[in-house]
Amino acid sequence: MDRLEQFLDRAERLLERIEPLLPPVQTAPDWDATTAFRWQRRAERGYLEPIAVTPRIELAHLHGIERQKTTLLRNTRQHLAGLPANNALLWGARGTGKSSLIQALHRAFAAQGLRLIEMEPEHLTDLPRLLPLLAQRPERFIVYCDDLSFDASDHSYRALKAVLDGSLNGCADNVLLYATSNRRHLVPEQMADNDQARISGGELHHGDGVEERISLSERFGVRLSFHPFAQERYLEIVRSWIEHLGGSDGDSEAARQAALAYALDRGSRSGRVAWQFARDWVGRQGLPAAEHV
């Protein structure tokens, strides 16, 4: 064991000794302090931490995902009205607006009683601890899990399946789970999975192991796909962000060519790349000409 490993081992043992001496955490937060919270875990104890500052993303700012926006907006309205609604999985390419859409929905409906609780993927097994705290509240909650995925050897997805089928939809009627992922079925798909597949009546049937993993994504009644944007859609989003940031030359050929070069350099045409380019472009245009690099 090298010196770094020895140091980390001693530090971990020291934290374990200090933990009982720390003041107890408050599991139930001040519900009036904010409209967004983050589930934290200290040792084996979980608690809700208020999030003072949330992203200022408006639904009107999100372009190129109208179908996804309409579907999730309707599902969220049903939830707020106390009507039946579904857990949602937003999957697809990075930077295409999955997380931004959930954050924008929270901002749009916070005044109507919608509360957002951010939860790390590895903490989802704490849902049975969290739900009793929420079940008696008058607000409507969305538990938001960003970048949810499981390794092929990680069997904790089975615990999440049980929660989605049981507690989340049963005991806490005022709670939904909205998750984002880069993977359609939340778990990696291997070439070896095809070895278990069989053909019956002209139809492909996966092996039991694959079927079990796929069944996790099927627990989400709303499944929305997000794909990279075509060039013209990407440029349309660039123009929109430039206008939003106070620029006036988003339609210029110079902005168009620079935006395409920016996307090529990053290997992606996405809403995130469009936003980043627009910030860079408007910022550079605001500098005196002598300060341009």
Side-chain angles (χ1 to χ4, degrees):
M1 180 181 295
D2 59 28
R3 291 183 177 180
L4 177 59
E5 291 176 332
Q6 291 175 353
F7 170 77
L8 293 176
D9 182 61
R10 289 198 301 270
E12 183 176 353
R13 284 187 273 115
L14 178 61
L15 288 173
E16 290 176 352
R17 293 171 60 186
I18 293 176
E19 178 68 29
L21 304 178
L22 295 175
V25 296
Q26 296 296 323
T27 304
D30 179 0
W31 294 106
D32 297 324
T34 183
T35 62
F37 303 86
R38 181 180 292 109
W39 180 260
Q40 299 280 31
R41 185 190 292 169
R42 181 189 292 175
E44 295 302 318
R45 292 176 291 176
Y47 62 99
L48 286 169
E49 176 185 71
I51 300 176
V53 180
T54 56
R56 301 178 64 85
I57 301 175
E58 305 282 354
L59 287 169
H61 295 162
L62 303 178
H63 301 277
I65 54 171
E66 282 72 22
R67 176 184 60 83
Q68 297 90 331
K69 187 193 306 185
T70 298
T71 300
L72 202 61
L73 184 61
R74 181 181 64 246
N75 192 69
T76 305
R77 282 177 171 154
Q78 292 171 206
H79 181 50
L80 281 170
L83 299 170
N86 281 303
N87 302 311
L89 172 63
L90 286 60
W91 68 273
R94 65 187 188 277
T96 47
K98 302 184 296 294
S99 300
S100 296
L101 178 53
I102 296 174
Q103 293 164 2
L105 285 169
H106 163 243
R107 182 172 177 81
F109 294 117
Q112 300 179 33
L114 182 64
R115 299 294 179 263
L116 192 69
I117 296 179
E118 185 177 338
M119 205 170 196
E120 296 294 330
E122 61 268 25
H123 294 165
L124 282 175
T125 51
D126 288 346
L127 278 171
R129 304 181 188 179
L130 172 63
L131 293 175
L133 299 176
L134 309 181
Q136 304 303 318
R137 296 294 307 174
E139 300 89 353
R140 311 295 291 183
F141 294 92
I142 288 177
V143 175
Y144 162 50
C145 184
D146 194 27
D147 199 19
L148 177 61
S149 64
F150 300 91
D151 293 333
S153 59
D154 184 357
H155 296 292
S156 62
Y157 66 86
R158 293 173 180 168
L160 178 57
K161 282 171 58 177
V163 170
L164 288 174
D165 272 347
S167 299
L168 194 60
N169 290 327
C171 299
D173 183 61
N174 60 338
V175 183
L176 289 180
L177 173 63
Y178 283 5
T180 71
S181 179
N182 294 331
R183 294 169 173 166
R184 181 178 184 180
H185 296 306
L186 303 175
V187 290
E189 299 180 37
Q190 310 288 346
M191 285 292 295
D193 293 338
N194 294 324
D195 295 340
Q196 304 177 29
R198 58 186 176 82
I199 302 294
S200 177
E203 295 182 354
L204 177 66
H205 295 267
H206 295 289
D208 292 341
V210 178
E211 290 287 357
E212 181 183 15
R213 296 201 295 272
I214 290 177
S215 67
L216 173 59
S217 62
E218 292 179 347
R219 262 60 176 181
F220 294 87
V222 173
R223 298 190 293 276
L224 300 172
S225 58
F226 291 70
H227 303 287
F229 298 124
Q231 178 173 297
E232 288 306 315
R233 179 55 62 89
Y234 164 72
L235 292 171
E236 176 187 332
I237 297 172
V238 165
R239 290 192 294 270
S240 174
W241 279 125
I242 289 177
E243 179 181 350
H244 173 73
L245 292 171
S248 58
D249 57 351
D251 287 324
S252 69
E253 184 62 21
R256 174 187 174 91
Q257 293 302 322
L260 292 176
Y262 193 92
L264 181 63
D265 184 56
R266 283 149 184 78
S268 172
R269 289 194 300 260
S270 69
R272 178 181 298 150
V273 171
W275 162 247
Q276 293 169 344
F277 169 77
R279 289 181 59 85
D280 177 68
W281 179 261
V282 174
R284 284 192 289 122
Q285 301 310 306
L287 286 175
E291 297 184 27
H292 286 195
V293 178

